[in-house]
Amino acid sequence: MVRDLCNAGEQRPVETLDSALNALESLRLSGRTIGVISHIDQLTRRIPVRIDVKRTGVGTSTIHVKG
């Protein structure tokens, strides 16, 4: 199930976010690894683990895992 949270149709944004997070949690519980790239603050606040990538120079970066 992939759904564009910005074009959720008739569903309210909170319900859509809950549906997306429930689907992600179900996949995680079945043993899958999921990566999410998001600009939606409500989504990033509710996912407990973050991987922050920061560019340190041309062709190089550092990775910090939080959570």
Side-chain angles (χ1 to χ4, degrees):
M1 176 181 95
V2 175
R3 186 168 187 168
D4 184 349
L5 295 178
C6 296
N7 297 313
E10 298 298 317
Q11 209 170 14
R12 294 186 350 211
V14 172
E15 292 169 348
T16 302
L17 180 60
D18 287 339
S19 294
L21 287 168
N22 289 338
L24 291 172
E25 180 66 9
S26 176
L27 289 169
R28 187 189 68 79
L29 291 173
S30 71
R32 306 243 177 150
T33 300
I34 290 100
V36 176
I37 299 171
S38 179
H39 65 282
I40 300 170
D41 290 334
Q42 296 91 339
L43 182 61
T44 58
R45 282 192 295 250
R46 291 177 57 181
I47 296 176
V49 178
R50 294 180 64 125
I51 299 173
D52 290 330
V53 179
K54 297 191 184 214
R55 188 166 82 176
T56 57
V58 177
T60 62
S61 59
T62 59
I63 297 173
H64 298 280
V65 178
K66 300 175 183 179

